[in-house]
Amino acid sequence: MSGPVTDTDAFVAERSTPGGDEPPPHDLSATYAIEIVPSRVADVAGHTVRRALPRRDRRTIGAWCFVDHFGPETITPATTTQIGPHPHIGLQTVTWLLEGELVHTDSLGTEQAIRPGQLNLMTAGHGVAHAEDGRHHTHGLSHGVQLWVALPDRTRNGPAAFEHHAELPVVELGQARATVLVGTLHGVTSPARHDTPQVGAQLALNGRVEIQLDPRFEHGVLGLSGEIRVGDQPLRADQLAYVAPGHTSIVLASDGAARLLLLGGEPFGEHISMWWNFVARTKEEMTEALRAWDDGSDRFGSVPTRLPRMPVPQPPWLSAP
Ligand code: MN
């Protein structure tokens, strides 16, 4: 999905450079200092989503800088997802479905359907455009997440790329089954590209599990369905639990079947600015990008799709014409 970040709350997402010594890893019996971050409701192409990142008090978790949870929503031919061509810079989009189907098309010439259990990973680099079309999915449920990963300075102006992973590694952990989207969990590594140290996994949980964590990472747990507890804290499906670096494991539990997303990474040590579909460092960079999209410049190419191109909203730092 596209994630227009247009409100002032989300305008500038910044994180200070972490300094000082790393906290010592806690032992397995340690209690967690967990911060519950509520999502806010946002609209993406007429569909209500719960946006867990960025929030005023929590901009990033590792390089994860944007977390939209959409559905479950019963869709019809009239309401299926139709997100026309729009540009991205400086980020990766990570699309993961629990229900439904989308067709991704982009300015690299990719056309790729995605179904539950598969991963679409688009690296924007200096610029890419894409569209997401639910044209083959006109009944039943739509449910999934779209996540953004901020690219480090080293690759954020590099070439665009797209990966589809039809199958991802799975780790059986007793009462949980983890699908590793990005990075490594319990020694099992996803083939998906990542440019900074990070992890992303979906857990299907029915009971209790202790998940090993990389103590260098900060983590977030997002409830997707069912009743979940993170440590002792109940977590609703519209909440994100933040766990600071320094933990070597976390206990997750559910009453009955539940699904959740585990996201983590080394604290992102670069200041980022986010607006609309851009992750950059300065307003000047975003102005340059929005003008390139407005002008139909080669920077973003063209997307072969039936859907109409998305216009740039008025940025708050430029006066209205
Ligand atoms: Mn998009």
Side-chain angles (χ1 to χ4, degrees), residues 147-236:
L147 316 167
W148 293 357
V149 178
L151 290 172
D153 211 41
R154 182 170 55 78
T155 56
R156 70 188 185 93
N157 290 308
F162 178 82
E163 293 176 9
H164 174 75
H165 297 281
E167 293 191 12
L168 290 164
V170 168
V171 197
E172 299 291 349
L173 297 166
Q175 292 170 333
R177 185 170 199 265
T179 307
V180 187
L181 280 55
V182 183
T184 299
L185 190 75
H186 281 253
V188 174
T189 301
S190 162
R193 168 177 165 176
H194 57 97
D195 291 10
T196 54
Q198 66 177 134
V199 67
Q202 182 199 267
L203 270 75
L205 179 63
N206 199 336
R208 181 183 181 279
V209 69
E210 184 161 357
I211 299 288
Q212 295 167 9
L213 301 179
D214 186 327
R216 297 169 302 165
F217 289 5
E218 54 187 351
H219 289 87
V221 177
L222 180 72
L224 298 176
S225 66
E227 302 288 322
I228 294 160
R229 288 185 307 284
V230 180
D232 298 333
Q233 298 238 29
L235 187 72
R236 294 202 315 265

Side-chain angles (χ1 to χ4, degrees), residues 1-3 83 86-88 93 122 130 132 146 148 277:
M1 307 275 133
S2 152
I83 297 176
H86 58 278
H88 286 290
T93 62
M122 185 177 72
H130 73 147
E132 281 156 306
Q146 174 147 119
W148 293 357
N277 294 302

Side-chain angles (χ1 to χ4, degrees), residues 91-164:
L91 58 84
Q92 293 176 305
T93 62
V94 176
T95 308
W96 175 255
L97 300 181
L98 288 81
E99 304 277 357
E101 182 188 324
L102 288 170
V103 176
H104 160 100
T105 49
D106 66 36
S107 52
L108 299 164
T110 310
E111 178 170 332
Q112 178 65 58
I114 179 172
R115 299 182 183 89
Q118 304 178 339
L119 184 73
N120 273 2
L121 175 64
M122 185 177 72
T123 301
H126 186 61
V128 74
H130 73 147
E132 281 156 306
D133 191 345
R135 66 180 186 265
H136 302 313
H137 181 232
T138 53
H139 66 279
L141 291 176
S142 166
H143 188 195
V145 290
Q146 174 147 119
L147 316 167
W148 293 357
V149 178
L151 290 172
D153 211 41
R154 182 170 55 78
T155 56
R156 70 188 185 93
N157 290 308
F162 178 82
E163 293 176 9
H164 174 75

